């Protein structure tokens, strides 16, 4: 019977969700305390409280994709700040994994990556950062151009 397993799985996924939130917050702020605060506050605002329906639904594919998406955003931030081929490969591996979990996350990525890229380039427009964002998004832009019939 899958019902007991379905009720048990959120107990495994919620800590992973909180860990992903910690990783993203720590990557953005470089503060362990901010990461801990985000882990404490996240369940209260994400699901409307500890008993909120959103946290109980962490086993759904959209929620699992959100977990992986938080890690992909953290990987993008690390690559944008420090560069490196391995960080770029990590970003693409995690981002593609999230989209393989649920295709809807591509819209989430477009919004999140676009907002981060724009904000990052407006606040600190260095040549290295422009090049890193170009490397990060070039494969996606080529794919989009082919899909639209421009090649």
């Amino acid at each position: 019977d899958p019902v007991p397993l379905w009720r048990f799985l959120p107990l495994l996924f919620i800590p992973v969700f909180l860990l992903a939130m910690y990783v993203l917050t720590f990557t953005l702020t470089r503060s362990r305390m901010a990461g801990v605060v985000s882990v404490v506050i996240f369940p209260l605002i994400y699901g409307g409280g500890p008993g909120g329906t959103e946290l109980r639904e962490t086993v759904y594919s959209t929620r699992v994709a959100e977990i992986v998406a938080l890690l992909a955003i953290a990987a993008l931030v690390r690559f944008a700040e420090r560069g490196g081929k391995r960080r770029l490969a990590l970003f693409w591996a995690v981002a593609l994994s999230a989209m393989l979990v649920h295709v809807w996350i591509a819209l989430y990525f477009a919004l999140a990556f676009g907002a981060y890229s724009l904000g990052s380039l407006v606040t600190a427009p260095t040549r290295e950062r422009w090049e890193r964002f170009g490397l990060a998004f070039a494969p996606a832009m080529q794919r989009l151009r082919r899909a639209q019939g421009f090649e």
Side-chain angles (χ1 to χ4, degrees):
D1 186 31
V3 174
L5 180 62
W6 187 256
R7 290 183 181 156
F8 176 72
L9 278 177
L11 296 176
L12 298 175
F13 280 94
I14 289 172
V16 175
F17 212 159
L18 296 176
L19 180 62
M21 178 55 66
Y22 175 84
V23 168
L24 177 62
T25 305
F26 179 75
T27 302
L28 289 171
T29 64
R30 295 183 197 95
S31 167
R32 290 186 183 124
M33 184 55 77
V36 170
V37 169
S38 72
V39 167
V40 171
I41 292 175
F42 180 71
L44 300 174
I45 60 176
Y46 184 74
T53 59
E54 298 293 332
L55 288 177
R56 284 184 269 141
E57 295 173 353
T58 54
V59 294
Y60 293 170
S61 62
T62 53
R63 303 295 180 244
V64 174
E66 286 176 8
I67 294 169
V68 182
L70 292 173
L71 297 173
I73 295 168
L76 174 65
V77 170
R78 293 290 287 184
F79 173 71
E81 289 177 353
R82 300 210 173 121
K85 291 180 182 178
R86 290 193 297 184
R87 287 187 183 102
L88 179 61
L90 174 67
F91 162 66
W92 270 105
V94 178
L96 289 174
S97 298
M99 286 188 277
L100 289 173
V101 172
H102 199 286
V103 72
W104 184 254
I105 213 69
L107 176 63
Y108 178 82
F109 278 163
L111 295 172
F113 294 163
Y116 172 71
S117 301
L118 181 65
S120 179
L121 292 173
V122 166
T123 59
T126 63
R127 181 182 176 99
E128 293 84 20
R129 206 170 265 204
W130 278 97
E131 290 172 357
R132 289 175 188 157
F133 282 122
L135 286 171
F137 299 127
M141 296 308 290
Q142 283 181 325
R143 178 91 175 154
L144 183 62
R145 285 181 50 190
R146 281 190 211 120
Q148 297 297 322
F150 290 117
E151 281 188 28

